[in-house]
């Protein structure tokens, strides 16, 4: 999925993105902490799982076809002159190869792909991708170590909230999970803008309670929604 396709699915206009950016800035005015928002089309390519699924399905197809080898050999004899026994092996090999390639592309269709990838693999991929962005974007090294990342992975339909060590010491994991579940629920209803605005408001409240402003506010992170390309 390209960034343009993801933008269409999110359904966010320029005005919506501006409203989200302003909401982050407003929330950060009341705290020394930082709020970051990011969304990605998918957290992993899952190519190896799609290939494994294609190979297993192709093997199952071969096991179904193999008992009919005598009939297939007779059909090959009817179609070709001078048939040799190895023709049958070539037929089976070609059938499996074509099946693997065709099934691999079939399993790349998002609706089917979502059924092929184990839930545990998707959960781990989303967590790893969120942590990667948390590190690459510098959220982990804000002055008070009180940065919060609200990370959305579209394909997996999952939301992951990563809080830096000082804020995570003061706010329980259950609260982050509640906010993440609310974001996922709103996005499932098609209310993407409201999902992010609500998350910003709730994260801002938690930051304000635990990390009030400590002098002149220094904005250390981008206030807007970051749409990741990979």
């Amino acid at each position: 999925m390209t960034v343009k396709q993801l933008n269409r699915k999110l359904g966010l206009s320029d005005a919506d993105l501006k409203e989200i950016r302003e909401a982050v800035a407003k929330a950060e005015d009341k705290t020394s902490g930082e709020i970051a928002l990011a969304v990605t089309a998918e957290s992993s390519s899952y190519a190896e799982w799609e290939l494994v699924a294609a190979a297993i399905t192709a093997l199952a197809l071969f096991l179904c076809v193999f008992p009919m080898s005598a009939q297939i050999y007779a059909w090959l004899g009817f179609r070709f002159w001078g048939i040799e026994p190895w023709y049958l092996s070539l037929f089976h090999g070609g059938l499996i190869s074509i099946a693997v390639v065709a099934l691999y592309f079939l399993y790349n269709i998002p609706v089917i792909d979502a059924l092929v990838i184990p839930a545990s693999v998707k959960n781990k991929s989303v967590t790893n991708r969120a942590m990667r962005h948390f590190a690459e974007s510098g959220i982990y090294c804000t002055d008070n170590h009180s940065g919060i990342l609200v990370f959305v992975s579209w394909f997996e339909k999952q939301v992951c909230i990563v809080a830096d060590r000082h804020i995570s010491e003061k706010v329980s994991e259950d609260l982050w999970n509640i906010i993440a579940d609310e974001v996922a629920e709103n996005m499932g209803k098609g209310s993407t803008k409201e999902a992010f605005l609500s998350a910003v408001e709730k994260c801002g409240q938690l930051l304000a309670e635990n990390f009030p402003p400590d002098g002149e506010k220094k904005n250390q992170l981008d206030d807007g929604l970051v749409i990741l390309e990979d």
Side-chain angles (χ1 to χ4, degrees), residues 174-187:
D174 290 339
L175 280 176
W176 300 128
N177 290 336
I178 290 172
I179 296 173
D181 289 342
E182 289 178 355
V183 173
E185 182 179 355
N186 283 326
M187 294 195 72

Side-chain angles (χ1 to χ4, degrees), residues 38-39 46 85 100 109 127 166:
V39 60
Y46 301 109
V100 168
I109 298 174
T127 300
H166 285 174

